[in-house]
Amino acid sequence: MEVVIDTGNGVSTYSIAATKAGRRVEINTTRNLTEVVEVTRTGKPIRTARFITTRVIALVEHPAPDSQ
């Protein structure tokens, strides 16, 4: 998952990924806050990134790589 943020002087890109097998990335958006969370299979949050919703330009989801 990539999050593109307006910094006022340009844009910044943040990458958030599920780092181990079985983990997933969830996105929660409210009026004022966009939260991107990496969670385990049981729903326990591992890493959280919070952004002011009005500054978020794009949320780009990348498919998981093929495991061959």
Side-chain angles (χ1 to χ4, degrees):
M1 171 69 60
E2 287 185 51
V3 183
V4 181
I5 303 295
D6 176 17
T7 61
N9 295 327
V11 296
S12 291
T13 303
Y14 297 91
S15 295
I16 296 108
T19 56
K20 292 186 178 180
R23 292 187 181 172
R24 63 188 184 277
V25 176
E26 293 182 350
I27 302 166
N28 300 312
T29 303
T30 61
R31 271 185 17 192
N32 302 325
L33 191 67
T34 298
E35 186 176 65
V36 182
V37 184
E38 177 186 0
V39 295
T40 62
R41 291 178 183 164
T42 60
K44 179 182 173 189
I46 301 298
R47 294 185 302 157
T48 303
R50 292 182 181 99
F51 306 97
I52 298 172
T53 299
T54 57
R55 295 287 189 171
V56 175
I57 297 171
L59 295 168
V60 182
E61 185 176 359
H62 297 285
D66 292 333
S67 58
Q68 294 180 349

